Amino acid sequence: MKILILGDVYGRPGRNILQEQLSNIINQYNIDFTIVNGENASGGNGLTVKNAKELLSLPIDAITMGNHVWQQKELLDAIDDYPQIIRPLNYTDPCPGKGFQIFQHQHKKIGIINLSGQIFMPNLGCPFNLMKSLMNEIKNSADIIIIDFHAEATSEKIAFGYYMDGFATAVYGTHTHVQTADERILSKGTAYITDIGMTGPLDGVIGVDQEVIIESMLTKRPKRFVTAKGNVQINGIILEISESDNKVTDITRFYETYEVKS
Ligand code: FE2
């Protein structure tokens, strides 16, 4: 089985390039199941219901989120109607939505977990201790367990990857919007990469117009964020998973840029 996982879809440029290219990518690489991170899909800030519907009208099976999950407040009321959308598991109960969701794909159960890191991130509770208490329960509920670890610090991400080694099928980082080149299969069989990157503007500052960010760096004053225009990128990974033992046999980075004519 081949799973395509795409990094943080940023604003309209990210949504548009998926409209244009996702089906081609899926056909070209014989993808069976597709996961995208959608927490920046609406103007860089969260996910509106309209944009969730738009993404789910594409061949996308699951949408993971992150620290911006509730930025579009309408999702608080709507998330339970969209089991394809998975918010960080470490929100304190009661909380709308789910942080762990099982998807039946052919004869396999694919469990997807979204977790938020705790270093330079909102204080949601410790992802390590949370998984410590849940691993046994989760273990036998799915054939394949994929974790989107939405976090800032590379150290926390790699430590979490090691902690999940042998338990998760794959652990991948999101949130920094910059793809790292450290994809590998860890010693107990878990596929790992620190960050899969971003799907959206190529020439912005992690999605935002570069002039806006440079100006705010120069003046030390906040500026209203504007989504960058121009060329775009699609970043992610492709996992190849063995039918017999559900382990990843190959993790490959996906990094493509596309020219947008203005
Ligand atoms: Fe984020």
Side-chain angles (χ1 to χ4, degrees):
M1 176 191 289
K2 276 173 125 181
I3 299 184
L4 172 71
I5 305 171
L6 297 178
D8 312 29
V9 179
Y10 197 100
R12 188 186 296 270
R15 301 194 315 270
N16 283 355
I17 196 64
L18 289 185
Q19 290 266 13
E20 219 177 88
Q21 295 292 338
L22 185 59
S23 295
N24 301 339
I25 296 167
I26 285 171
N27 289 337
Q28 189 183 343
Y29 292 92
N30 291 316
I31 301 298
D32 300 291
F33 193 89
T34 302
I35 307 166
V36 304
N37 184 294
E39 76 132 15
N40 304 112
S42 299
N45 279 313
L47 180 64
T48 61
V49 172
K50 184 173 168 239
N51 293 158
K53 283 183 184 159
E54 185 187 330
L55 288 177
L56 291 169
S57 72
L58 302 176
I60 291 171
D61 298 283
I63 300 174
T64 53
M65 299 296 286
N67 53 303
H68 289 301
V69 58
W70 310 126
Q71 210 99 14
Q72 303 292 334
K73 292 190 177 49
E74 61 188 51
L75 197 67
L76 271 167
D77 296 323
I79 195 166
D80 285 317
D81 299 331
Y82 296 90
Q84 304 98 321
I85 304 174
I86 307 148
R87 48 90 176 151
L89 183 66
N90 36 357
Y91 273 98
T92 315
D93 279 334
C95 177
K98 287 210 167 88
F100 170 51
Q101 197 72 260
I102 294 172
F103 297 79
Q104 185 74 43
H105 183 78
Q106 289 158 4
H107 56 287
K108 299 281 187 194
K109 284 191 169 68
I110 303 172
I112 303 177
I113 298 170
N114 185 205
L115 274 167
S116 172
Q118 59 187 339
I119 300 175
F120 309 127
M121 298 295 286
N123 183 11
L124 297 186
C126 173
F128 288 79
N129 282 301
L130 182 62
M131 287 311 291
K132 190 177 179 183
S133 63
L134 288 178
M135 267 192 289
N136 266 344
E137 192 184 318
I138 290 175
K139 203 176 191 144
N140 297 320
S141 61
D143 304 301
I144 291 163
I145 295 168
I146 309 273
I147 304 179
D148 173 349
F149 193 62
H150 196 79
E152 181 75 43
T154 50
S155 55
E156 187 181 15
K157 286 166 145 175
I158 192 150
F160 186 78
Y162 289 135
Y163 188 49
M164 291 294 106
D165 189 16
F167 163 73
T169 309
V171 174
Y172 63 94
T174 56
H175 180 66
T176 71
H177 297 190
V178 179
Q179 190 178 77
T180 56
D182 60 340
E183 77 282 8
R184 65 187 169 122
I185 294 171
L186 303 178
S187 62
K188 293 177 201 149
T190 296
Y192 174 81
I193 180 169
T194 298
D195 207 295
I196 60 172
M198 181 185 84
T199 296
L202 177 66
D203 296 322
V205 177
I206 62 172
V208 180
D209 181 83
Q210 51 176 274
E211 306 282 327
V212 168
I213 298 297
I214 292 169
E215 176 73 9
S216 107
M217 295 281 173
L218 283 168
T219 62
K220 315 296 178 203
R221 294 194 294 265
K223 292 266 298 178
R224 203 184 135 81
F225 282 9
V226 178
T227 300
K229 292 190 171 69
N231 296 339
V232 293
Q233 59 187 330
I234 297 181
N235 291 180
I237 49 169
I238 295 170
L239 301 174
E240 197 155 352
I241 298 176
S242 155
E243 278 294 317
S244 55
D245 65 2
N246 301 317
K247 288 208 155 103
V248 175
T249 53
D250 191 52
I251 171 170
T252 311
R253 273 184 290 129
F254 184 89
Y255 187 103
E256 286 290 337
T257 61
Y258 305 86
E259 204 177 322
V260 174
K261 293 189 180 74
S262 51

